[in-house]
Amino acid sequence: MEEEEEDYMSDLFIKQDVRPGLPMVRRVKDAILKEEKQKEANEKNRQKSIKEEEKERRDLVLKSALGSENKGFALLQKMGYKSGQALGKSGEGIVEPIPLNIKTGRSGIGHEELKKRKAEEKLENYRQKLHMKKQANEQAADQFRIRFKNKQEERKMEGDLRKSQRACQQLDMQKDIDVPKETWYWLEPEEEDKNDEEDKEDECTSSDLSVSEKLHILTAYLREHHFYCIWCGTTYEDSEDLSSNCPGDSAADHD
């Protein structure tokens, strides 16, 4: 009578002493061996698929060399060909037959080439997108630098304009000129009355002149009437002294 198979999930099996260093019990060894044999038997008895059988037969035939029973090989032998000899008069041709490339998939002829071409097109599109993104980032960075530079130059011109207005007011008052030639030639006084401030803002906005145009006009007025250069910070004796010792009539000439 065969022994009853052990239940590996039973309390009796779980409570067995399997601590490291102790010999494994005989029943566990037998169970492992039995399981391995069962796996081997299942692998041997497993029915192979048609594709697997075809592949085994094909590989076996391809590995074996052609013999004289092959009609094509027999014709080559009659023409003087020997096994292992290269084709051609000078013997520079191929020695082994052209390898057989078996198509196992269900896709049509040319599908792999189409798939490869689509992958290449996808990669090229991805590269173009990266290139366009890089160009867009570079253009954005250039535009930011230009805006920042223009902003800095605008602030510098605004500072030069205030400096010119302050100098113009002082020099005009030294010559007993109480009213500026243009309202924006002098710095506007701070008014406490809110309505007066709004009126001043309306007057400023009514002018169509830009900061650079105002600066150019006012510095020309200072040079012509007071012989003064805001960038030199000097009042010259006359126009000849101004033209001889002042580098120019712009900020760039004084850099």
Side-chain angles (χ1 to χ4, degrees), residues 1 57 61-62 104 117 125 161 164 173 179 198 222 241:
M1 184 176 178
R57 290 196 299 267
V61 172
L62 292 176
T104 57
R117 186 167 65 252
N125 292 335
L161 179 60
S164 300
M173 294 179 69
V179 180
E198 292 178 354
L222 290 172
D241 185 23

Side-chain angles (χ1 to χ4, degrees), residues 6-253:
E6 292 290 340
D7 184 8
Y8 297 126
M9 299 302 296
S10 65
D11 293 338
L12 180 61
F13 184 80
I14 294 174
K15 291 180 180 179
Q16 292 178 357
D17 194 351
V18 291
R19 288 177 297 172
L22 295 177
M24 187 179 294
V25 295
R26 184 170 177 271
R27 284 175 295 179
V28 176
K29 287 183 179 181
D30 293 341
I32 294 174
L33 184 60
K34 183 178 180 181
E35 184 179 359
E36 291 177 354
K37 289 181 178 180
Q38 186 65 35
K39 286 182 179 180
E40 292 178 0
N42 292 339
E43 187 67 25
K44 290 179 180 179
N45 297 329
R46 186 177 66 87
Q47 186 177 3
K48 296 180 181 180
S49 64
I50 298 175
K51 290 185 178 180
E52 290 176 341
E53 293 179 354
E54 289 179 352
K55 186 177 182 304
E56 288 181 359
R57 290 196 299 267
R58 184 170 58 249
D59 292 341
L60 181 62
V61 172
L62 292 176
K63 287 179 182 179
S64 59
L66 295 176
S68 57
E69 69 279 0
N70 185 277
K71 293 183 179 180
F73 188 75
L75 289 174
L76 287 174
Q77 285 182 327
K78 290 180 180 180
M79 297 170 63
Y81 175 78
K82 295 180 181 180
S83 181
Q85 180 182 354
L87 298 179
K89 291 183 179 181
S90 58
E92 295 179 355
I94 61 174
V95 178
E96 297 294 333
I98 298 174
L100 183 63
N101 187 11
I102 303 298
K103 186 177 181 302
T104 57
R106 302 183 64 182
S107 58
I109 297 174
H111 176 75
E112 293 298 327
E113 291 295 329
L114 178 62
K115 187 177 179 181
K116 182 179 178 181
R117 186 167 65 252
K118 286 185 177 180
E120 291 176 353
E121 291 176 356
K122 185 176 180 181
L123 179 61
E124 184 63 24
N125 292 335
Y126 177 72
R127 289 175 178 172
Q128 289 180 358
K129 287 182 180 179
L130 285 181
H131 182 66
M132 293 174 62
K133 185 177 180 181
K134 183 180 178 182
Q135 284 185 335
N137 291 337
E138 291 177 353
Q139 290 177 359
D142 292 340
Q143 291 175 359
F144 173 78
R145 284 191 289 267
I146 292 172
R147 289 196 302 270
F148 182 78
K149 183 179 179 181
N150 293 338
K151 192 69 176 178
Q152 292 293 102
E153 291 177 352
E154 185 179 353
R155 288 179 180 176
K156 187 176 184 301
M157 284 190 294
E158 290 175 353
D160 290 342
L161 179 60
R162 288 193 297 270
K163 185 178 178 182
S164 300
Q165 290 171 329
R166 191 179 298 107
C168 182
Q169 184 175 0
Q170 292 176 357
L171 293 172
D172 282 349
M173 294 179 69
Q174 288 176 5
K175 291 186 176 182
D176 297 330
I177 299 175
D178 297 331
V179 180
K181 185 177 180 179
E182 297 288 345
T183 56
W184 56 267
Y185 272 33
W186 291 6
L187 286 173
E188 297 179 4
E190 296 182 359
E191 299 289 344
E192 295 181 357
D193 190 1
K194 186 176 181 182
N195 294 328
D196 292 341
E197 289 181 0
E198 292 178 354
D199 294 338
K200 291 291 184 179
E201 290 178 0
D202 294 338
E203 291 179 2
C204 293
T205 55
S206 64
S207 177
D208 294 333
L209 296 175
S210 63
V211 175
S212 60
E213 290 173 337
K214 287 182 179 180
L215 180 62
H216 178 72
I217 295 172
L218 187 53
T219 51
Y221 171 82
L222 290 172
R223 294 173 71 87
E224 182 179 354
H225 291 82
H226 299 292
F227 312 117
Y228 179 77
C229 175
I230 63 166
W231 296 290
C232 294
T234 304
T235 302
Y236 294 93
E237 295 180 0
D238 50 29
S239 60
E240 183 178 355
D241 185 23
L242 175 64
S243 60
S244 300
N245 297 304
C246 180
D249 58 356
S250 65
D253 295 332

